[in-house]
Amino acid sequence: MKLITPRPYADPETAARELVRISAGIEPVQDGRIYIEKINWPMLADLKATPADYKAGLDLAVARGWLWLHESGTYVTLTEAGKEILA
């Protein structure tokens, strides 16, 4: 008997790729900005990722250069490297 449910986004690589996919589907505002709530809401509420899974995925996407996170943490920008992994 299993008492836990599987967490598909426990792997940071999977979470990072999903965040990039979500970001690509959002119409950016001024200067390519994508407000952080536009990507965290689908990840946390719709896909049921945990906050730790979301944070690990975001950190990995930024470290790999797929997303650029503003120092204030209020928005991200999808980079060319991020667009390339979607192709």
Side-chain angles (χ1 to χ4, degrees):
M1 174 166 83
K2 282 192 166 187
L3 298 177
I4 60 171
T5 58
R7 292 178 31 225
Y9 301 108
D11 175 30
E13 175 82 20
T14 305
R17 289 182 180 275
E18 188 62 29
L19 285 169
V20 170
R21 187 193 63 77
I22 292 168
S23 298
I26 296 172
E27 184 68 32
V29 293
Q30 169 188 1
D31 299 328
R33 297 175 182 182
I34 300 168
Y35 292 119
I36 199 76
E37 62 267 15
K38 297 285 189 172
I39 65 170
N40 69 17
W41 179 258
M43 189 76 175
L44 296 172
D46 299 339
L47 298 176
K48 305 296 186 215
T50 66
D53 297 342
Y54 166 78
K55 179 66 172 143
L58 182 61
D59 289 345
L60 183 63
V62 170
R64 294 216 174 142
W66 299 342
L67 294 174
W68 179 81
L69 179 64
H70 187 263
E71 61 190 21
S72 68
T74 58
Y75 68 88
V76 296
T77 302
L78 184 60
T79 64
E80 288 301 316
K83 292 175 186 174
E84 287 174 7
I85 68 162
L86 295 171

